[in-house]
Amino acid sequence: MTKVYIDGQLYEKEEAKISVFDHGLLYGDGVFEGIRVYNGKIFKCREHIDRLYESARAIGIKIPMDKNAMVEAMENTLKANNLTQAYIRLVVTRGVGDLGLDPRLCKKASVIVITDKIQLYPPEIYEKGLELIIASTPRNHQSALSPRIKSLNYLNNIMAKMEGQQANVREVVMLNLEGYVCECSADNIFLVKNGVLKTPAASAGILKGITRDTIMELAHEMGIPVREENITRFDLYVADEVFLCGTGAELIAAIKIDGRVIDDGKPGPIFKQLLAKFRELASV
Ligand code: PMP
């Protein structure tokens, strides 16, 4: 039976419930993380925990336990569920309040840890790549709500993803209000042009993905030049390679964008090298 951690206790999945007055539910007022476990080891654990606490600080939520206790809660939940290859969903909500917005009425944040099997894209996607469209829904402007906060309110991304579903594609690219490429609905994006790896800078208004950071580190080690810069729709269409990355997806090549075939329509050589290195790193 699956066990879920809520505020210091493990519950059976069916009993794992929170109040309808929790502002996480009422207003999307909270933050979360998605983390992978490979061979029993929490991948990039410290990075995910740091980002969770930063997201919480940015919206004024005080997480009622320290980082070590958070790691322990994850480890205990994994153990209770006997998982060594897993996906962890860490959720921190503002907690129980009343029906008004006032966050001060929520006396204590709630911490939830859900562990589950990994849900990847079908295996053929990793070999063949996938098709994207550029959504007409822009990414939230960072001055209104920074995409660096991994908040429980994903409506902006969901609206964009729905456009993808209408167009029968699995992922979409979101632009910022200036028209530059930001990221996908749940992944970051890279392109390769003339041997240089490029990705939007955090200042474009993106979630600073941990997989993205890992790929940039791997590229440095492999001697591949990396640039964080403004990327346009045109740059994507004429790229030699495009791929997306995230905790759930890992790395996936994009082979068509808005009906334009990317290069020869196959995952490219730099993508393949990076994927191999990433898998090597994740499996140790
Ligand atoms: N951007 C968005 C909007 C996301 O939801 C995610 C996945 N959490 C990412 C990028 C990738 O981030 P990470 O590599 O840290 O999973």
Coordinates of all heavy atoms in Angstrom, one line a residue, residues 32-35 48 51 87 89 139 147 150 154 157 171 174 182-189 206-214 245-250, ligand 1:
F32 N 6.2 23.8 -4.5 CA 6.4 22.3 -4.6 C 7.7 22.0 -5.3 O 8.4 22.9 -5.9 CB 5.3 21.6 -5.3 CG 5.2 21.8 -6.8 CD1 5.6 20.7 -7.6 CD2 4.7 22.9 -7.4 CE1 5.6 20.8 -9.0 CE2 4.6 23.0 -8.8 CZ 5.1 22.0 -9.6
E33 N 8.1 20.8 -5.3 CA 9.3 20.3 -6.0 C 9.0 18.9 -6.6 O 8.2 18.1 -6.0 CB 10.5 20.1 -5.1 CG 11.3 21.3 -4.9 CD 11.9 21.9 -6.1 OE1 12.5 21.2 -7.0 OE2 11.9 23.2 -6.3
G34 N 9.6 18.6 -7.7 CA 9.5 17.3 -8.3 C 10.9 16.8 -8.4 O 11.8 17.5 -8.9
I35 N 11.2 15.6 -7.8 CA 12.6 15.1 -7.6 C 12.6 13.7 -8.1 O 11.7 12.9 -7.8 CB 13.0 15.2 -6.1 CG1 12.7 16.6 -5.6 CG2 14.5 14.9 -6.0 CD1 12.9 16.8 -4.1
H48 N 17.4 20.7 -5.1 CA 15.9 20.8 -5.0 C 15.4 21.3 -3.7 O 14.5 22.1 -3.7 CB 15.3 19.4 -5.2 CG 15.3 18.9 -6.7 ND1 14.4 19.4 -7.6 CD2 16.1 18.1 -7.4 CE1 14.6 18.9 -8.8 NE2 15.6 18.1 -8.7
R51 N 15.9 25.0 -3.7 CA 15.0 25.7 -4.5 C 13.6 25.8 -3.8 O 12.9 26.8 -3.8 CB 14.9 25.1 -5.9 CG 14.0 25.9 -6.8 CD 14.1 25.4 -8.3 NE 13.4 24.1 -8.4 CZ 13.4 23.4 -9.5 NH1 13.9 23.9 -10.6 NH2 12.8 22.2 -9.6
Y87 N 9.8 8.9 -8.2 CA 9.6 10.4 -8.4 C 9.0 10.9 -7.0 O 8.1 10.2 -6.5 CB 8.6 10.6 -9.5 CG 8.2 12.1 -9.7 CD1 9.0 12.9 -10.5 CD2 7.1 12.6 -9.1 CE1 8.7 14.2 -10.7 CE2 6.8 14.0 -9.3 CZ 7.6 14.7 -10.1 OH 7.3 16.1 -10.3
R89 N 7.3 14.0 -5.0 CA 6.6 15.3 -5.1 C 6.6 15.8 -3.7 O 5.9 15.3 -2.7 CB 5.2 15.1 -5.6 CG 4.3 16.3 -5.6 CD 4.9 17.5 -6.4 NE 5.1 17.2 -7.8 CZ 4.3 17.3 -8.8 NH1 3.1 17.8 -8.5 NH2 4.6 17.0 -10.0
R139 N 4.2 33.3 -21.1 CA 4.6 32.9 -19.7 C 4.3 34.1 -18.8 O 4.4 35.3 -19.3 CB 6.1 32.6 -19.7 CG 6.6 32.0 -18.4 CD 6.2 30.5 -18.4 NE 6.8 29.9 -17.2 CZ 6.1 29.7 -16.1 NH1 4.9 30.2 -15.9 NH2 6.7 29.0 -15.0
P147 N 8.4 33.3 -12.5 CA 8.5 31.8 -12.8 C 9.5 31.1 -12.0 O 9.6 29.9 -12.0 CB 8.7 31.8 -14.3 CG 8.2 33.1 -14.8 CD 8.6 34.0 -13.7
K150 N 8.5 28.1 -7.8 CA 7.8 26.9 -8.3 C 6.5 26.8 -7.4 O 6.5 26.0 -6.4 CB 8.7 25.7 -8.1 CG 8.3 24.5 -9.0 CD 9.4 23.5 -9.1 CE 8.9 22.2 -9.7 NZ 8.3 22.3 -11.0
Y154 N -0.2 26.5 -11.3 CA 0.4 26.2 -12.7 C -0.6 26.5 -13.8 O -0.4 26.0 -14.9 CB 0.8 24.7 -12.7 CG 2.3 24.6 -12.6 CD1 3.1 25.2 -11.6 CD2 3.1 23.9 -13.6 CE1 4.4 25.1 -11.6 CE2 4.4 23.8 -13.6 CZ 5.1 24.4 -12.5 OH 6.5 24.3 -12.5
N157 N 0.8 27.6 -17.1 CA 1.4 26.5 -17.9 C 0.3 25.5 -18.4 O 0.4 25.0 -19.5 CB 2.4 25.7 -17.0 CG 3.3 26.6 -16.3 OD1 2.9 27.5 -15.5 ND2 4.6 26.4 -16.4
E171 N 4.1 18.7 -25.9 CA 4.7 19.8 -25.1 C 4.6 21.1 -26.0 O 4.4 21.0 -27.2 CB 6.1 19.4 -24.8 CG 6.7 19.9 -23.5 CD 6.1 20.7 -22.5 OE1 5.3 21.6 -22.8 OE2 6.4 20.6 -21.3
M174 N 6.7 28.2 -24.5 CA 6.1 29.5 -24.1 C 7.1 30.6 -24.3 O 8.3 30.5 -24.0 CB 5.7 29.4 -22.6 CG 4.7 28.2 -22.4 SD 4.2 28.1 -20.6 CE 3.0 29.4 -20.5
C182 N 10.9 31.4 -23.6 CA 11.2 31.1 -22.1 C 11.5 29.7 -21.9 O 12.6 29.3 -21.5 CB 9.9 31.5 -21.3 SG 9.8 33.2 -20.9
E183 N 10.5 28.9 -22.0 CA 10.6 27.5 -21.6 C 9.4 26.7 -22.1 O 8.5 27.3 -22.7 CB 10.7 27.4 -20.0 CG 9.6 28.0 -19.3 CD 9.7 27.9 -17.8 OE1 10.5 27.0 -17.3 OE2 9.1 28.7 -17.1
C184 N 9.3 25.4 -21.8 CA 8.1 24.7 -22.1 C 7.2 24.7 -20.9 O 7.4 25.3 -19.9 CB 8.5 23.3 -22.5 SG 9.5 23.2 -24.0
S185 N 6.0 24.0 -21.0 CA 5.0 24.1 -20.0 C 5.5 23.4 -18.7 O 5.2 23.8 -17.6 CB 3.7 23.5 -20.4 OG 3.8 22.1 -20.5
A186 N 6.4 22.5 -18.8 CA 7.0 21.8 -17.6 C 8.4 21.4 -17.8 O 8.9 20.5 -17.1 CB 6.2 20.6 -17.2
D187 N 9.1 22.1 -18.7 CA 10.5 21.8 -19.0 C 11.3 23.0 -19.5 O 10.6 23.9 -20.0 CB 10.6 20.7 -20.2 CG 10.0 19.4 -19.8 OD1 10.5 18.7 -18.9 OD2 8.9 19.1 -20.4
N188 N 12.6 23.0 -19.3 CA 13.4 24.0 -20.0 C 13.8 23.6 -21.4 O 13.5 22.5 -21.8 CB 14.6 24.3 -19.1 CG 14.3 25.0 -17.8 OD1 14.5 24.3 -16.7 ND2 13.8 26.2 -17.8
I189 N 14.3 24.6 -22.1 CA 14.6 24.3 -23.5 C 16.0 24.8 -23.9 O 16.5 25.8 -23.4 CB 13.5 25.0 -24.4 CG1 13.6 24.5 -25.9 CG2 13.6 26.5 -24.3 CD1 12.4 24.8 -26.7
I206 N 12.1 32.4 -16.5 CA 11.9 30.9 -16.5 C 12.0 30.4 -15.1 O 12.6 31.0 -14.2 CB 13.0 30.3 -17.4 CG1 14.4 30.5 -16.9 CG2 12.8 30.7 -18.8 CD1 15.5 29.7 -17.5
L207 N 11.6 29.1 -15.0 CA 12.0 28.4 -13.8 C 13.5 27.9 -14.0 O 13.8 27.4 -15.1 CB 11.1 27.1 -13.6 CG 11.5 26.3 -12.3 CD1 11.1 27.0 -11.1 CD2 11.0 24.9 -12.4
K208 N 14.3 28.2 -13.0 CA 15.7 27.9 -13.2 C 15.8 26.4 -12.9 O 16.0 25.9 -11.8 CB 16.6 28.7 -12.3 CG 18.0 28.8 -12.7 CD 18.7 29.9 -11.9 CE 20.2 29.9 -12.0 NZ 20.8 28.7 -11.4
G209 N 15.7 25.6 -14.0 CA 15.6 24.1 -13.8 C 16.9 23.5 -13.3 O 18.0 23.9 -13.7
I210 N 16.8 22.5 -12.5 CA 17.9 21.8 -12.0 C 18.5 20.9 -13.1 O 19.7 20.7 -13.2 CB 17.5 21.1 -10.7 CG1 17.4 22.2 -9.6 CG2 18.6 20.1 -10.3 CD1 16.5 21.8 -8.5
T211 N 17.7 20.4 -13.9 CA 18.2 19.6 -15.1 C 18.9 20.5 -16.0 O 20.0 20.1 -16.5 CB 17.0 18.9 -15.8 OG1 16.1 18.4 -14.8 CG2 17.5 17.7 -16.6
R212 N 18.4 21.7 -16.2 CA 19.1 22.7 -17.1 C 20.4 23.0 -16.5 O 21.4 23.0 -17.3 CB 18.2 24.0 -17.1 CG 18.8 25.2 -17.7 CD 17.8 26.4 -17.5 NE 18.3 27.7 -18.0 CZ 19.2 28.4 -17.3 NH1 19.6 28.1 -16.1 NH2 19.6 29.6 -17.8
D213 N 20.6 23.3 -15.2 CA 21.9 23.6 -14.6 C 22.8 22.4 -14.8 O 24.0 22.6 -15.1 CB 21.7 23.8 -13.1 CG 21.1 25.2 -12.9 OD1 20.9 26.0 -13.8 OD2 20.7 25.5 -11.7
T214 N 22.3 21.2 -14.7 CA 23.1 20.0 -14.8 C 23.6 19.8 -16.2 O 24.8 19.5 -16.4 CB 22.2 18.7 -14.4 OG1 21.7 18.9 -13.2 CG2 23.1 17.4 -14.4
C245 N 14.3 19.7 -21.4 CA 14.8 18.9 -20.2 C 14.0 19.3 -18.9 O 13.6 20.4 -18.8 CB 16.3 19.2 -20.1 SG 16.6 20.9 -19.5
G246 N 13.9 18.3 -18.1 CA 13.3 18.5 -16.8 C 13.4 17.2 -16.0 O 13.8 16.2 -16.5
T247 N 13.0 17.3 -14.7 CA 13.2 16.2 -13.8 C 12.4 15.0 -14.3 O 12.9 13.9 -14.3 CB 12.7 16.6 -12.4 OG1 13.6 17.6 -11.9 CG2 12.6 15.5 -11.5
G248 N 11.1 15.2 -14.7 CA 10.3 14.1 -15.2 C 10.7 13.6 -16.6 O 10.8 12.4 -16.8
A249 N 11.0 14.5 -17.5 CA 11.2 14.2 -18.9 C 12.7 13.8 -19.1 O 13.0 13.1 -20.1 CB 10.9 15.4 -19.8
E250 N 13.6 14.2 -18.2 CA 15.0 14.1 -18.5 C 15.4 14.9 -19.7 O 15.1 16.1 -19.7 CB 15.5 12.6 -18.5 CG 15.2 11.9 -17.3 CD 15.6 10.4 -17.3 OE1 15.4 9.8 -18.4 OE2 16.2 9.9 -16.3
Ligands
PMP1 N1 10.1 24.8 -16.2 C1 8.9 24.5 -15.6 C2 7.8 25.4 -15.8 C3 8.8 23.3 -14.9 O1 7.7 23.0 -14.3 C4 9.9 22.4 -14.8 C5 9.8 21.1 -14.1 N2 9.7 21.2 -12.8 C6 11.1 22.8 -15.4 C7 11.2 23.9 -16.1 C8 12.4 21.9 -15.3 O2 12.9 22.0 -14.0 P1 13.7 20.9 -13.3 O3 14.8 20.5 -14.2 O4 14.2 21.5 -12.1 O5 12.7 19.7 -13.1

